[in-house]
Amino acid sequence: MTVDDRGLAEIVIETVGALVVVLDREGCILRWNTTCERATGYTREEMIGRPIWTLLLPEEQEGVRAVFDQILALEFPNQHENVWVGRDGSHRLISWSNAALLDDVGEVRAVVGTGIDITDRTRAEEALRRQARRLEALAESSRVFASGLDYKTTLDTIARRLCELIGDGALIRTISPDGLWLVPVAVYHPAPERAALRRRMLLAAPQRPDEAITGRVIKSGHTLRVPEVTREFVHNEMKPEYWPYLDGVASIMIAPLKLRRTVIGHITLMRDAGSPPYTHDDETLLEDLAHRAAQAIENARLYSEAQAAVAARDEFLSIASHELRTPLTALRLALENMRRVSSRDALDRLSPEYVERVLATAERQGHRLESLVAALLDVSRIQMGRLELDVEEVDLATIVFDAAASLEEEAHQTGSTIEVRGEPVRGYWDRLRISQVATNLVSNAVKYGAGKLIEVEFGPRRDGARLAVRDHGIGIEAADLPQIFERFERAVSSRNYGGLGLGLYIVKRIVEAHGGTIAVDSTPNEGSSFVVDLPLRPSVSVRAAGADAPSP
Ligand code: ADP
């Protein structure tokens, strides 16, 4: 090499963008170019003479030594990559090509490494790959959510997919309809035994929506990310029953499932020890998916409600036609009887008792038909928001005594006695409607009262009036109680007890239209007690309170 060549080589080595390092046979540094200085923060003076191994990650040292030995044996491996740890602890990923300088006898005198710093490129590639995986997950979730699968399957799929992408374990819980509990709907972990253990734990220790750390997320509506889950965190933030749940979990994110402003549950993702902590990017992806999941849950709920409504309506139609046909048949038979005997002769021979009996039947069935049709009309009025009150000063005692008297005969037939007592109270109400309330409640007590005593009580109550009807009959199962005031809902079979399942629905709307309330307390086989509280005057604003929200 001439002096000029040497100078040129020097310039190239110092200005080239690559890292150039020359090592002796022991791996000690002989040359350290400017790019090496820039990449590591270590100067030439510091590094010359130092073994190269000091720059490596402990876990990579063995591999790099093996490559070095190969080069000494003049077997050149392909390009290889390893990490250098800089002065400030930062990691640079470098891709190396190697050459050897030989002495006169062909022995390796020095090893020359030329490296390209691929840290940024690798990070960018990784970020792109991550981005692509996320987009894929979002596209897949949209597909799954729109696929019309039932929402349990949908959420299971989402939980699994989320885990494959950014977690080792997932839990999705929704708030129960009564708002009291968190109901697990999807529990996922790639190890089935861990998933099973978590499911058992969730079953054994049900959680309320306002408890512990999930409670905070549900209350605030904001996602919580804990990049590093420590023992203190687990002990401070979780109920002891749940501590084992986080065994081996290193990082956690909890996102609320939100529908507009209402939180309907949460998705929790967990990474096990050994995986990197959750980042802001992960949080964004989780929030995006949580948003879609909430929407899917809502759609599934609306769908099943619609299905239930259609089923209830179908059942109602069949009950209604049965209920309407019974009095119609009786009425027709009565008329046919009369026609058969309508010739003069036969009429003369008819006893007045017989005629009276046939007419009474016809009248009774006519009334029955009339009240069924009236109930149907009331329901459509209520639904259209047209339950109007004709308010006047009314004496509750008169209404209650009249209602009881009109049902005396019916009660007698079942073996029941109706006992009415109370203190006078007057208020401004719709006489016919309040009478309908009293009649309905007493009539139900007769129908479901198993022939036992029926107690009716009325009187003033704070700044209103109260009417209570108690029976000692079949009672109502606790699970049926919330439904009995709904349209078409019945807690008994129509085969054993006739009825449209509309009475209490109408009663409740009438009471509410007056600004009052109705409550029920019941024990199966012991009886039921219905209590109506009415203000003495309905306020103007509640006049239309009987209206349901308009149907879509
Ligand atoms: P129905 O026409 O079926 O009596 P209601 O709306 O009046 O309709 O009542 C709804 C349901 O509530 C009934 O089907 C019955 O299951 C239950 N129920 C109402 N009142 C009583 C009562 N006093 N005792 C037991 N069950 C009752």
Side-chain angles (χ1 to χ4, degrees):
M1 216 182 247
T2 66
V3 175
D4 277 354
D5 285 345
R6 218 175 252 265
L8 188 62
E10 198 62 31
I11 290 170
V12 171
I13 289 172
E14 291 310 321
T15 54
V16 72
L19 300 102
V20 179
V21 63
V22 181
L23 308 174
D24 66 14
R25 288 184 62 94
E26 308 306 317
C28 290
I29 298 170
L30 300 172
R31 252 208 104 111
W32 184 250
N33 78 345
T34 320
T35 312
C36 289
E37 288 190 335
R38 244 187 268 128
T40 59
Y42 291 118
T43 64
R44 188 164 320 187
E45 291 70 37
E46 285 174 288
M47 293 310 285
I48 302 284
R50 245 172 87 173
I52 190 75
W53 327 118
T54 56
L55 281 171
L56 304 179
L57 289 172
E59 63 269 28
E60 288 191 350
Q61 294 205 357
E62 203 176 312
V64 176
R65 275 178 197 269
V67 170
F68 190 73
D69 289 342
Q70 276 178 304
I71 299 169
L72 291 183
L74 291 177
E75 292 164 20
F76 292 99
N78 292 335
Q79 266 191 350
H80 68 102
E81 291 165 6
N82 64 262
V83 169
W84 271 5
V85 182
R87 182 194 288 284
D88 61 1
S90 66
H91 290 190
R92 309 299 305 180
L93 180 64
I94 297 161
S95 170
W96 292 104
S97 311
N98 301 295
L101 289 177
L102 305 183
D103 60 15
D104 299 343
V105 290
E107 279 274 303
V108 174
R109 189 155 52 89
V111 172
V112 182
T114 315
I116 308 284
D117 186 339
I118 55 170
T119 317
D120 296 338
R121 195 184 80 204
T122 314
R123 279 192 192 141
E125 278 172 3
E126 182 46 39
L128 272 177
R129 265 198 297 275
R130 238 184 2 247
Q131 202 58 27
R133 285 201 301 266
R134 274 153 203 225
L135 285 174
E136 210 179 284
L138 288 177
E140 182 182 343
S141 71
S142 304
R143 231 180 6 254
V144 175
F145 285 146
S147 63
L149 291 173
D150 68 288
Y151 91 116
K152 176 88 181 77
T153 317
T154 306
L155 293 178
D156 278 343
T157 313
I158 291 307
R160 182 177 44 75
R161 200 69 188 93
L162 266 172
C163 285
E164 284 163 7
L165 266 176
I166 54 169
D168 299 313
L171 164 65
I172 306 181
R173 284 186 295 191
T174 53
I175 300 175
S176 60
D178 58 11
L180 293 180
W181 300 103
L182 284 174
V183 184
V185 283
V187 182
Y188 183 81
H189 192 281
E193 62 286 355
R194 284 212 46 195
L197 177 75
R198 285 181 175 176
R199 265 186 219 110
R200 278 203 300 280
M201 229 178 273
L202 288 163
L203 272 181
Q207 200 178 325
R208 296 197 178 267
D210 55 358
E211 272 179 327
I213 193 156
T214 21
R216 285 220 312 270
V217 170
I218 287 171
K219 186 155 180 245
S220 70
H222 296 302
T223 302
L224 178 92
R225 175 163 54 92
V226 186
E228 234 174 286
V229 172
T230 58
R231 232 178 124 73
E232 293 76 69
F233 169 84
V234 174
H235 287 198
N236 291 341
E237 303 285 356
M238 318 266 301
K239 296 204 292 184
E241 301 94 291
Y242 278 93
W243 291 353
Y245 199 103
L246 287 193
D247 269 354
V249 169
S251 189
I252 188 169
M253 289 194 289
I254 309 173
L257 286 168
K258 259 194 291 192
L259 272 181
R260 288 166 292 276
R261 291 185 182 285
T262 319
V263 176
I264 59 165
H266 72 99
I267 300 189
T268 297
L269 279 189
M270 287 148 279
R271 262 188 189 154
D272 294 340
S275 305
Y278 279 122
T279 62
H280 180 71
D281 269 6
D282 297 326
E283 190 178 325
T284 316
L285 176 66
L286 176 62
E287 281 183 337
D288 224 336
L289 279 165
H291 178 69
R292 284 156 207 245
Q295 209 61 51
I297 292 173
E298 178 65 356
N299 288 346
R301 194 184 61 76
L302 290 176
Y303 180 64
S304 69
E305 259 181 31
Q307 273 184 322
V310 168
R313 195 199 53 194
D314 287 350
E315 196 195 338
F316 167 73
L317 284 178
S318 81
I319 293 176
S321 30
H322 173 80
E323 285 290 308
L324 288 170
R325 190 177 301 137
T326 314
L328 264 181
T329 312
L331 200 55
R332 190 168 45 78
L333 284 178
L335 286 172
E336 276 172 13
N337 273 341
M338 289 306 278
R339 176 175 292 281
R340 225 178 292 133
V341 293
S342 64
S343 70
R344 267 243 148 262
D345 279 4
L347 260 185
D348 285 345
R349 274 184 277 116
L350 276 185
S351 69
E353 292 78 26
Y354 177 80
V355 175
E356 176 55 34
R357 222 172 40 239
V358 174
L359 286 180
T361 307
E363 246 170 31
R364 218 176 33 249
Q365 301 307 337
H367 276 309
R368 174 93 192 111
L369 270 177
E370 203 181 329
S371 64
L372 287 171
V373 172
L376 289 173
L377 265 177
D378 278 348
V379 170
S380 63
R381 266 196 211 113
I382 290 170
Q383 275 197 285
M384 289 189 292
R386 297 214 192 109
L387 183 73
E388 287 185 0
L389 302 183
D390 193 1
V391 176
E392 59 185 316
E393 194 182 350
V394 174
D395 172 17
L396 188 60
T398 315
I399 290 186
V400 176
F401 277 114
D402 284 354
S406 73
L407 289 158
E408 197 111 298
E409 172 63 26
E410 223 172 287
H412 183 69
Q413 278 170 16
T414 64
S416 284
T417 329
I418 307 176
E419 206 177 86
V420 186
R421 61 169 177 270
E423 288 170 47
V425 51
R426 300 177 76 82
Y428 286 82
W429 304 305
D430 183 320
R431 181 189 304 276
L432 289 178
R433 292 292 181 192
I434 295 301
S435 149
Q436 200 177 340
V437 168
T439 311
N440 247 298
L441 293 180
V442 179
S443 150
N444 275 349
V446 171
K447 191 150 109 190
Y448 304 109
K452 310 224 174 91
L453 177 67
I454 295 164
E455 296 154 278
V456 184
E457 242 182 283
F458 63 89
R461 179 95 187 173
R462 270 188 237 118
D463 37 357
R466 170 169 284 194
L467 165 65
V469 179
R470 175 197 303 275
D471 66 60
H472 302 274
I474 63 171
I476 304 165
E477 294 289 341
D480 292 324
L481 279 178
Q483 278 86 265
I484 58 169
F485 293 104
E486 295 307 316
R487 244 178 333 153
F488 316 145
E489 292 288 352
R490 316 192 65 226
V492 290
S493 124
S494 61
R495 228 172 283 146
N496 300 335
Y497 296 91
L500 289 176
L502 292 177
L504 288 180
Y505 170 76
I506 297 171
V507 162
K508 183 167 187 237
R509 304 304 133 133
I510 293 175
V511 170
E512 284 173 353
H514 280 86
T517 56
I518 177 161
V520 55
D521 181 21
S522 185
T523 311
N525 300 321
E526 284 185 21
S528 313
S529 161
F530 286 83
V531 177
V532 173
D533 280 312
L534 290 171
L536 294 184
R537 255 175 214 279
S539 66
V540 177
S541 62
V542 296
R543 283 194 60 153
D548 279 352
S551 321

